[in-house]
Amino acid sequence: MHEQDYNEALKHTNAGGTMELHALNVQIYLKMHRSDYAEKQLKIMLQIDEDHTLTQLANAWLNLAVGGSKIQEAYLIFQDFSEKFPMTGMILNGKAICCMHMGRFDEAESLLLEALNKDAKDAETLANLIVCSLHLGKSSSRYLSQLKLSYPDHMLVKRASAAEESFDRAIQANA
């Protein structure tokens, strides 16, 4: 999955059997933009144990992917996690992503800064802070620099570098 070879990953996880494998399948299908298959996996998880933490987490992932009115449901799941468990970067990022989808960027920024205080080098926190800062009209260069240093292969770093190269080529062509 890390290498983005999702079909190969599914060969090893599709047998299922554990909540962890079902949750991983949900993640893989969402990476493949197949929310229909992710929903089928989630239904299996709901039949096994609808209150299981991984079932709830997979449900939040699917709700985020589907969007629309499902974003509020995802937010409530992450809110429930924050009341049940110690606040982690994953929970804070989950809540922040929901807030961004709902247009509540100030709240998202606050959650992401809290996550950054817990782990100053977390790739997803840095990436989400970049996006959030841009929406707030704030500079994101500090977070992008940190992401480039710590995670040069991160998708956001690669896309930013490709955009910079395209911009530079356009300037050269017009010079």
Side-chain angles (χ1 to χ4, degrees):
M1 183 173 152
H2 180 70
E3 294 174 359
Q4 300 178 352
D5 188 351
Y6 303 123
N7 289 326
E8 187 65 25
L10 284 170
K11 289 178 187 174
H12 300 283
T13 62
N14 224 6
T18 67
M19 292 300 267
E20 290 81 3
L21 287 174
H22 289 302
L24 189 55
N25 283 338
V26 170
Q27 269 191 324
I28 292 168
Y29 287 130
L30 291 175
K31 291 272 189 190
M32 296 171 72
H33 305 286
R34 293 303 308 257
S35 57
D36 53 335
Y37 286 118
E39 188 172 2
K40 288 178 184 176
Q41 283 294 306
L42 178 61
K43 284 181 180 176
I44 293 168
M45 295 174 76
L46 288 165
Q47 289 172 352
I48 296 169
D49 185 354
E50 68 182 39
D51 295 324
H52 195 284
T53 302
L54 283 174
T55 304
Q56 293 302 308
L57 185 59
N59 198 356
W61 293 333
L62 181 61
N63 288 341
L64 277 169
V66 171
S69 62
K70 295 287 187 180
I71 298 297
Q72 182 64 32
E73 290 178 36
Y75 181 84
L76 293 174
I77 291 170
F78 286 113
Q79 181 63 36
D80 187 49
F81 284 168
S82 67
E83 293 167 5
K84 285 182 183 175
F85 305 109
M87 196 66 83
T88 64
M90 195 258 332
I91 293 171
L92 289 163
N93 271 277
K95 287 176 72 174
I97 292 167
C98 293
C99 287
M100 286 192 282
H101 276 280
M102 294 185 287
R104 299 182 346 217
F105 293 98
D106 288 325
E107 184 181 347
E109 181 184 40
S110 175
L111 292 163
L112 292 168
L113 290 173
E114 186 179 340
L116 193 65
N117 284 335
K118 292 185 177 297
D119 182 358
K121 291 187 175 185
D122 180 65
E124 296 314 304
T125 301
L126 291 167
N128 289 329
L129 268 167
I130 292 165
V131 172
C132 189
S133 296
L134 291 171
H135 279 278
L136 289 169
K138 297 181 177 181
S139 173
S140 61
S141 59
R142 171 184 160 215
Y143 308 123
L144 184 57
S145 296
Q146 181 65 41
L147 192 63
K148 283 180 179 178
L149 280 172
S150 301
Y151 303 94
D153 292 330
H154 192 279
M155 178 185 62
L156 194 58
V157 171
K158 287 182 175 181
R159 286 186 177 176
S161 296
E164 288 171 10
E165 290 169 12
S166 293
F167 184 76
D168 291 342
R169 277 194 306 276
I171 289 175
Q172 293 298 323
N174 291 325

